[in-house]
Amino acid sequence: MGIISLEKSNHLYWLGRYSERAFTTIRTFMEAYDTMLDQDPEAYKKICSKLHIPDVYGSKENFIVNYLFDETDPNSVYSNLSRACDNASVMRDVISSTALGYIQLALDVMENAKRETFCLLYLQQVLDDLYAFWGCIDDYVESSACRNIMKTGRYIERLDLYIRLDYDSRAMELAYTRMEYRLHRSCAAYDEENFQIVSDAVKRGGDLCAVLPHLNNIFKD
């Protein structure tokens, strides 16, 4: 592919981030769903607090519908999938129509789920489509630099969310290791000082929440 323009690099990076954001937040929602229904109807408030999103929902019923499907809520799963699809559409020539198709399928499933009686099986189908999307990236994207930029975005987003959601240290270390691997192989510009701050915190067990601004400013998009 040759030299990747800053514009293309930006689209690839955010495609990785938004697709991972949709994936991990769906998993988080699914884990909390039964708790909201059977044990703690305000369990959704913990998700809002951890993800630093405003609690504009008011009830578990509103959260279940609007957090998943509200196109006007910038924090909804639908909004994140839509932004992933927008970036994928721009980069169709790089990622292939097949890969783009899986992102579009995931968005279509969300549309169908919104019109039907909600069922967790819809969300599982979205997760399956996103798994297939990443499989296509490995098969169809010829440029290793493009793949690595996308996966840098993917693992920066994963580490960000794992920190916010209090995942165990092993999961965060694995997300960091994958981010580091992809970042160094992307041939993209990045902020070495921010990277080192994050690296030290992960490896030495520092306050990871405090390094979130540094994590999100590693990649120069």
Side-chain angles (χ1 to χ4, degrees), residues 114-132:
K114 179 168 56 176
R115 291 191 292 266
E116 303 290 340
T117 301
F118 172 67
C119 174
L120 287 180
L121 288 177
Y122 283 109
L123 296 186
Q124 185 58 57
Q125 186 176 341
V126 174
L127 295 181
D128 291 345
D129 288 334
L130 290 173
Y131 274 125

Side-chain angles (χ1 to χ4, degrees), residues 14-47:
W14 283 104
L15 172 54
R17 289 204 66 158
Y18 285 130
S19 57
E20 178 63 27
R21 191 175 303 175
F23 182 87
T24 297
T25 53
I26 285 174
R27 289 180 59 197
T28 300
F29 175 91
M30 292 175 73
E31 290 167 4
Y33 184 72
D34 287 341
T35 301
M36 286 189 288
L37 292 185
D38 300 329
Q39 300 175 34
D40 181 5
E42 295 193 340
Y44 74 90
K45 292 179 180 290
K46 296 177 183 178
I47 296 176

Side-chain angles (χ1 to χ4, degrees), residues 3 9 11 13 24 27 32 36 44 51 54 64 81-83 85 105 107 118 129 138 153 207 210 219:
I3 296 174
S9 178
H11 285 303
Y13 173 74
T24 297
R27 289 180 59 197
M36 286 189 288
Y44 74 90
L51 293 178
I64 289 169
L81 264 179
S82 182
R83 288 191 285 263
C85 195
L105 276 174
L107 199 59
F118 172 67
D129 288 334
D138 287 332
D207 181 2
F219 191 85

Side-chain angles (χ1 to χ4, degrees), residues 36 41-45 48 53-67 73:
M36 286 189 288
E42 295 193 340
Y44 74 90
K45 292 179 180 290
C48 293
I53 62 177
D55 177 9
V56 296
Y57 307 103
S59 68
K60 68 179 182 184
E61 290 82 8
N62 286 339
F63 177 77
I64 289 169
V65 173
N66 295 330
Y67 181 68
D73 181 353

